Every structure is written in structure tokens, then in C-alpha cells.
Amino acid sequence: MAQGLEVAVTDFQTSWNNLQHHTEEISSDRLLVRRGQAFNITLYFINRGFQPGLDNIIFVADTGDAVYLDSEPQRQEYVMNDYGFIYQGNKNWIYLCPWNYGQFEKNIIDICLQLLDKSLNFQMDPATDCVLRGSPVYISRVVCAMINSNDDNGVLSGNWSENYSDGINPVEWTGSVAILKQWHATGCQPVRYGQCWVFAAVMCTVMRCLGIPTRVITNFDSGHDTDGNLTIDEYYDNTGRILENKKKDSVWNFHVWNECWMARKDLPPGYGGWQVVDATPQETSNGLYCCGPASVRAIKEGEVDLNYDTPFAFSMVNADCMSWLVYGGKEQRLHRDTNTVGNFISTKSIQSDERDDITENYKYKEGSTQERQVFLKALQKLRAGRPQGPHQGDPRPSRPMTLSQDSPRRLDTPSLRPRDVIQVSLKFKLLDPPNMGQDISFALLAHNMSYQFKDLKVNLSAQSLLHDGSPLPPFWQDTVFIILSAEEAKTHHCKIPYSQYSQYLSTDKLIRLSALGEEMSCPEKVLVDKIITLAYPGIVINVLAAAVVGQPLSIQVMFANPLLEHAEDCMLVVEGSGLFKKQQRILIGILKPQHQASITLETVPFKSGQRQIQANLRSNKFKDIKGYRNVYVGVGL
């Protein structure tokens, strides 16, 4: 009888396999392979050679293909790309925030695996957790819960208080690598602080590092429905000022989450593909602060009974808004708006710096019969067996008041507010670009669309907003009286000095203008509002020579203080995967009013291919003047 084979050496052919599996940037001395793709291993035997027909070697590695994307450009974008853009601002003015995902940077793979081991799932039952790690549905829920720190020592602490003195203001971050490395270096203590786009960006890094196709999604006018009735309740006083919501429902100016690509064998056929996963700690799911994965197709079709957290995800993009007038201790229902929530749902385009609008993936066109049918189907599913609350009722609009969203916007879309009962139209118009440090000049346009005389009293106000929709106290108010003849239009000019708004501005740089008009002779009211995002001039980055691996490279960074006052404690932060080994932090000190400056940095690129430099300038007066530059790094000789 032939003697059995004894293995002397196993050669995992790490360099070759990692190159073929596109993991060579992660490691060159550890085998890292992707599921669904062949790899080679060579066995050397100590006692004799392998004899075909006599010897059998059985090697089993069952990984499946639950996250396989059949498009090479999509694989390059959603797995391999280590930088991208996160869209912010408001639907009238969308701007991008450059981000360094850095999933292939040194030690990131180990930090991601450590994150799995620190999860409550692993701590309670390590054996079961390890068995389930082959499921992207399971992994996405574990990672989602671990990105925030509400239940455990997760990566990030959330903070929406505007007080970040014991940490980093969320708007200052430009990449995930520094966050993950700080979490690891401090013994897995949560990093302070994050908000929705930071949670989503870090989750994108972890999921791409683990080989799961992932992208970052921004939803403008994003609903946060706390009681599951698919209605966001908003409260106003008689000046048109939006009030703090006692039910904690809100419409975020923008909200950011992730989509991960995976099969969903736990759902009916057809609901695999892109899945919503939201790491921002808003509501609990099975006792933990995580959300998803919720099938994007299930959201569009109103199948809110499918796992996981589909009702909440549906409400973020397609809830109705109910407006209430609060006066004399009473609440009067004013109007139900079916169009406000869920606009310009955006992600970075494939292998392009352009913005891709994917709203149609989430819902049918607003105002269409299909959209209302889906909404009512979702509402019916959620109402089954649920008692009705005081604000849960007739989805048909009531008409004592007209709510009109101001129409000027950067993108060509129809008005997002119905104008079904308008005798007088009010509209805001910016007279100059809303640049930080300058006065805000705007006009209120009033148009009498009837054949009758109109005597209007209009209460005007301005207040800062946080990006989650939370209002701050008004810092400017005015009352004007406008008399309009039949079909007459008039313009009232307004100006808010920088000195008046600067001390009240949030780091989100959002200002809400509102006008509540009422006729002196009848109870009809007209409410119009406009959200303004104040803009900074961007940082300009110039690469002063061709970039080549291993050769010194000079990079010029040009920036300015846009304000008419001194900016102190100025700090410039520059990073870029494959270009800098770590973040570059340069203390600038004091910048004089409107002073322009530049510095030149020296680095040696260590990875080839398309790369990106990200930069942020902060001071005691501003926190997030940003810029980026794409760089192609050649291989060299």
C-alpha cells in the first residue's frame, strides 16, 4: 500500500494571487483573495512526489458569489476606487465634499477585522459570528452597528450639538483613514465626532476593504419619521418661523447613507442588488442602532414588510409632510405636501467626477399615479393592526393655507410645492451669490394673480438651520405691508449684514428665509421659504511636475481668508492615499482679512494610478474650506 503524502511546504503564491485579485495594495506578504475568483496554491511534499491517479488532494473553499458585480467599471468604482465625493448643501445648491476612503492603506484591513471582533455579536457568540461572516447581509448589519458607538465601542461618536470642543468638528474630516487609525490607536475608543456623511464614508471604507461593493448616497430633503406613519410633522408660528419639533420628526436638508451590492436570498426573487445601509444612529433595529440592509427595489415598490428597516428607509425618500400652525396653545393643520421629501438622490458617477442622480431608483416620479399607489400600499401595510394616533389620518390635503417652496434652484425641476390655492404668490430671489463674509441681498417678489385688490401683511424672518433640519433661533425679523392692485407685482428688497448673521451661523452654513403673508380681509395665508447655503472660495491645488512612483513631487496649495476680519488658529490638513503616508497638518496661524496665501509641500508617491489630494483649511472663524486635485501617478522605470 502506497505511503500517504506529507505536506512539507505550502506556497500560497501570495504576490501572484494578490495581483490577480487586486489586493496587492493591501498586502504583498499575506494571501488576500476575493470570492468567486480562482487562485493558485502549490504544495510541496516531504516523503515522495504526487502521483496522478493514485493520490487525491481535496481542497474546499466555499465562498459563494453573493456580492459579485458583473460590470468591470462598477467593480473598479465601488470596490477598488479609494477616493470619491460626498454631496452636501441643499437641493437648490448641491456641492461636493472630496473624501479619501483609503481602504488599501497600511493596517486598514487589520483594523476592519478588529472592528468585526469588537462587535457585540462576536463578543456574545464568537463561533456563530464567524460562521455568519460569509453573509453580506449579516456583515453589513454588524459593520453598520459598529461604525457608530451608541451600543458599543464603535468607531465614531455622533454629535449634532454645535459644541465640538472635546473633539473634531465633523465638517473638518477629509478621509476615513485618520479616523480608523485613531480608533485603533486609542484602544478602540470612539472618535469624536461624526455626522451622517462621516458615518457613511467610514462605512464605505470598511465595506470596500472587505470586498463588498459600496457607494455613498446623499438624499436631499430627507425624512426622519419617528412614529412610522409615513408623515413628517412640521410646526410653524404665526411669523413663519419653523419650530422645534416636539415629536422629533424632521426633514434633513440632506442625509447620507450607503448602498451595498449583494444577493438577498432571504427575500423574494428580484430584491437583490443595491441595498440601503445607514450607520447614522437614528432609530434602533432589533435593539441596536443600525439600519438595513433594505432593498432599494423594495423601497421603490412600497414593500415595507421586507427586511430590514424598509419602512424607515421608505420614509426617508417618500414620506408626506404635514404642516401645523401653532398659536394660542393650539395646533391647526394647514397642509399636506406629498412632494417635499426625497430629492436629487445623488452619488458619484462611475469612473467620473460627475454627480449621478439616482432618484428614479427609489421612487416613481412625484405626482404620478404610480407614486401615490405605492405610497398608499406602503401606508396600508404599516397601518395593518396599528392604532391611529392624533396626527395619523386622511392623506388628502386640507386647504386653509398654501405652502409654497421658493422656486429658484440650480437644477431644472418643477416646483416642489403644490400651488393649488394661490391668489397671491410670494417668492424669494437672491440678488447676489451667497458668499460667506458678505451681506445677504435678496428680494421678496409678491404677485397678485387675481382680479381683486390685495392688502398684505408679510412677516419675514431668517434663522440658521442644522443639516438635520433642527432650527436655531431667528436672528433677523421684519414686517412689511404690500398693497397690490389686480394682477400687480411688486418687489421688496432686503439685506442681512454679515455682522448680523455671522455670530448665529451654524457650521452647516444654512440659513432659512421665510415669509408668512396674510390678507387683511380674509383668513388665507401664504408661506414661502428658501434655504441658502453660504459658500466659501475653494482651495486650489497645483501639482508642479509629473507624478511618478518613488520620485519627489512638489504640490502647491493656495488658499484665502474670505472674511473681512482676522482668522486665527488656521490649520491646513492635506492627505491623499498613495501620495502621503499620513495626513499633513500645517499650522498657518493668523490670516489677515481676505488675505491669500500658498505653501508648497514635498512628497514621494508610493502607489501608481489615479489618485486624489484632499485639503481642508480651518480656523476660529471657519471650519471647512476644502479643495481637491486628481493626480495620475506613473509607474516610472
Side-chain angles (χ1 to χ4, degrees):
M1 183 174 180
Q3 184 182 7
L5 291 170
E6 294 182 31
V7 176
V9 176
T10 301
D11 180 2
F12 289 103
Q13 300 189 31
T14 300
S15 296
W16 169 258
N17 285 324
N18 287 6
L19 182 65
Q20 298 304 308
H21 284 249
H22 305 287
T23 60
E24 73 279 6
E25 287 193 23
I26 300 178
S27 176
S28 60
D29 54 13
R30 287 191 296 176
L31 180 65
L32 293 166
V33 295
R34 301 187 186 277
R35 67 173 78 200
Q37 182 178 340
F39 59 97
N40 298 328
I41 294 177
T42 302
L43 302 179
Y44 295 91
F45 304 105
I46 195 171
N47 55 332
R48 62 179 178 82
F50 177 78
Q51 299 179 23
L54 176 63
D55 296 320
N56 290 306
I57 299 174
I58 299 174
F59 179 78
V60 178
D62 184 9
T63 59
D65 60 354
V67 296
Y68 179 70
L69 265 174
D70 60 5
S71 165
E72 177 61 21
Q74 287 185 324
R75 291 196 295 267
Q76 288 296 321
E77 183 66 49
Y78 302 133
V79 178
M80 300 301 299
N81 200 353
D82 62 3
Y83 66 87
F85 302 118
I86 303 170
Y87 296 96
Q88 300 179 352
N90 66 78
K91 66 173 173 286
N92 300 323
W93 190 67
I94 297 173
Y95 66 90
L96 58 82
C97 171
W99 196 271
N100 176 26
Y101 296 121
Q103 67 267 30
F104 303 129
E105 290 298 283
K106 186 177 181 180
N107 297 327
I108 293 300
I109 182 66
D110 295 309
I111 295 172
C112 292
L113 295 175
Q114 181 184 33
L115 181 147
L116 297 180
D117 290 345
K118 289 293 182 179
S119 72
L120 293 179
N121 304 62
F122 182 84
Q123 299 297 320
M124 292 187 292
D125 189 348
T128 300
D129 176 79
C130 289
V131 169
L132 292 174
R133 286 186 183 182
S135 164
V137 174
Y138 176 80
I139 284 293
S140 66
R141 287 183 64 78
V142 170
V143 173
C144 186
M146 279 299 297
I147 295 299
N148 68 71
S149 62
N150 285 44
D151 307 297
D152 42 45
N153 282 341
V155 176
L156 281 160
S157 291
N159 187 342
W160 288 265
S161 72
E162 290 289 288
N163 180 9
Y164 311 108
S165 57
D166 58 345
I168 301 294
N169 188 318
V171 301
E172 295 181 33
W173 296 112
T174 53
S176 307
V177 176
I179 295 170
L180 288 167
K181 288 189 173 182
Q182 180 179 327
W183 178 74
H184 170 73
T186 58
C188 303
Q189 293 301 306
V191 177
R192 301 172 179 172
Y193 289 104
Q195 290 184 7
C196 65
W197 69 93
V198 188
F199 290 113
V202 174
M203 179 147 190
C204 184
T205 296
V206 174
M207 298 300 274
R208 287 186 182 181
C209 184
L210 296 176
I212 299 176
T214 303
R215 59 188 185 181
V216 177
I217 308 297
T218 301
N219 178 37
F220 292 93
D221 294 330
S222 188
H224 182 178
D225 174 25
T226 59
D227 51 12
N229 64 349
L230 301 186
T231 299
I232 309 297
D233 296 290
E234 294 185 319
Y235 298 86
Y236 298 84
D237 67 11
N238 59 3
T239 70
R241 175 172 66 104
I242 193 169
L243 303 174
E244 187 71 36
N245 191 327
K246 57 187 177 183
K247 284 178 57 186
K248 302 304 179 184
D249 281 0
S250 59
V251 177
W252 295 34
N253 289 286
F254 69 90
H255 180 51
V256 184
W257 59 72
N258 298 103
E259 285 180 3
C260 300
W261 180 273
M262 64 187 72
R264 290 298 302 270
K265 295 180 180 179
D266 58 319
L267 301 183
Y271 290 97
W274 290 116
Q275 312 287 315
V276 168
V277 185
D278 189 349
T280 300
Q282 300 180 82
E283 305 292 331
T284 58
S285 173
N286 293 340
L288 296 177
Y289 278 94
C290 67
C291 179
S295 165
V296 172
R297 185 188 171 207
I299 295 167
K300 182 171 183 174
E301 301 299 337
E303 302 295 348
V304 294
D305 52 342
L306 299 182
N307 284 339
Y308 290 86
D309 309 304
T310 308
F312 188 77
F314 182 93
S315 72
M316 291 195 294
V317 301
N318 211 13
D320 285 357
C321 271
M322 184 77 77
S323 300
W324 302 82
L325 181 63
V326 179
Y327 65 99
K330 298 180 180 180
E331 298 173 5
Q332 175 190 353
R333 188 170 81 165
L334 298 173
H335 184 82
R336 177 181 288 268
D337 187 343
T338 64
N339 300 328
T340 293
V341 170
N343 294 292
F344 305 124
I345 302 175
S346 303
T347 193
K348 179 184 176 297
S349 293
I350 297 172
Q351 297 181 331
S352 165
D353 286 356
E354 298 302 312
R355 183 182 68 89
D356 191 8
D357 191 311
I358 59 171
T359 307
E360 65 178 9
N361 292 359
Y362 280 86
K363 59 183 181 179
Y364 293 98
K365 186 177 180 180
E366 288 288 0
S368 68
T369 301
Q370 280 180 305
E371 186 274 333
R372 278 295 90 183
Q373 288 174 343
V374 167
F375 178 87
L376 293 174
K377 177 173 73 173
L379 190 62
Q380 184 178 18
K381 285 176 177 285
L382 292 175
R383 282 179 170 176
R386 178 183 297 176
Q388 296 296 301
H391 293 166
Q392 291 176 278
D394 185 3
R396 295 169 297 178
S398 58
R399 297 175 178 258
M401 176 179 177
T402 297
L403 269 171
S404 176
Q405 178 72 32
D406 196 63
S407 57
R409 50 180 52 82
R410 290 289 180 101
L411 303 174
D412 293 331
T413 60
S415 173
L416 298 176
R417 297 274 191 170
R419 298 172 178 266
D420 48 1
V421 188
I422 294 183
Q423 304 239 351
V424 174
S425 168
L426 297 179
K427 180 179 177 181
F428 284 116
K429 180 181 180 181
L430 286 173
L431 301 178
D432 297 306
N435 293 322
M436 179 66 73
Q438 300 180 9
D439 298 346
I440 301 173
S441 298
F442 62 97
L444 177 69
L445 311 179
H447 181 204
N448 181 4
M449 298 189 298
S450 73
Y451 296 105
Q452 299 176 342
F453 167 89
K454 299 289 183 181
D455 187 1
L456 293 180
K457 175 186 176 182
V458 182
N459 291 321
L460 298 162
S461 68
Q463 61 190 131
S464 289
L465 293 178
L466 305 184
H467 92 274
D468 66 359
S470 300
L472 301 180
F475 56 80
W476 176 84
Q477 291 179 312
D478 194 11
T479 300
V480 297
F481 297 89
I482 302 174
I483 298 175
L484 296 171
S485 302
E487 298 187 306
E488 184 182 14
K490 286 186 177 179
T491 300
H492 177 74
H493 290 269
C494 304
K495 179 178 288 188
I496 304 177
Y498 170 71
S499 59
Q500 185 167 359
Y501 72 76
S502 60
Q503 58 185 316
Y504 298 101
L505 199 61
S506 72
T507 55
D508 297 303
K509 308 180 292 297
L510 293 167
I511 292 177
R512 178 183 180 270
L513 304 175
S514 66
L516 182 66
E518 56 182 312
E519 291 189 64
M520 307 301 286
S521 58
C522 75
E524 181 183 349
K525 296 180 176 65
V526 178
L527 175 65
V528 64
D529 62 15
K530 185 178 186 66
I531 306 296
I532 297 172
T533 302
L534 294 168
Y536 287 126
I539 293 174
V540 176
I541 302 173
N542 295 314
V543 179
L544 302 182
V548 179
V549 169
Q551 297 185 13
L553 180 67
S554 297
I555 297 170
Q556 182 189 47
V557 184
M558 304 172 64
F559 50 91
N561 173 12
L563 308 180
L564 295 173
E565 56 185 326
H566 283 80
E568 301 176 356
D569 303 322
C570 296
M571 174 76 75
L572 179 68
V573 177
V574 181
E575 63 179 294
S577 288
L579 296 166
F580 300 97
K581 294 286 187 180
K582 62 179 182 179
Q583 276 189 338
Q584 306 297 300
R585 305 176 70 85
I586 303 99
L587 180 63
I588 305 299
I590 297 175
L591 282 175
K592 296 178 180 179
Q594 297 189 318
H595 178 69
Q596 295 183 348
S598 71
I599 64 167
T600 299
L601 303 176
E602 302 292 334
T603 190
V604 179
F606 54 95
K607 291 183 180 180
S608 62
Q610 193 67 39
R611 303 291 166 187
Q612 188 182 86
I613 303 168
Q614 301 90 12
N616 184 73
L617 178 68
R618 67 167 175 84
S619 73
N620 66 327
K621 296 295 184 181
F622 46 79
K623 302 299 179 186
D624 61 331
I625 295 181
K626 296 188 184 295
Y628 76 94
R629 177 66 181 263
N630 294 338
V631 182
Y632 183 81
V633 180
V635 177
L637 299 178

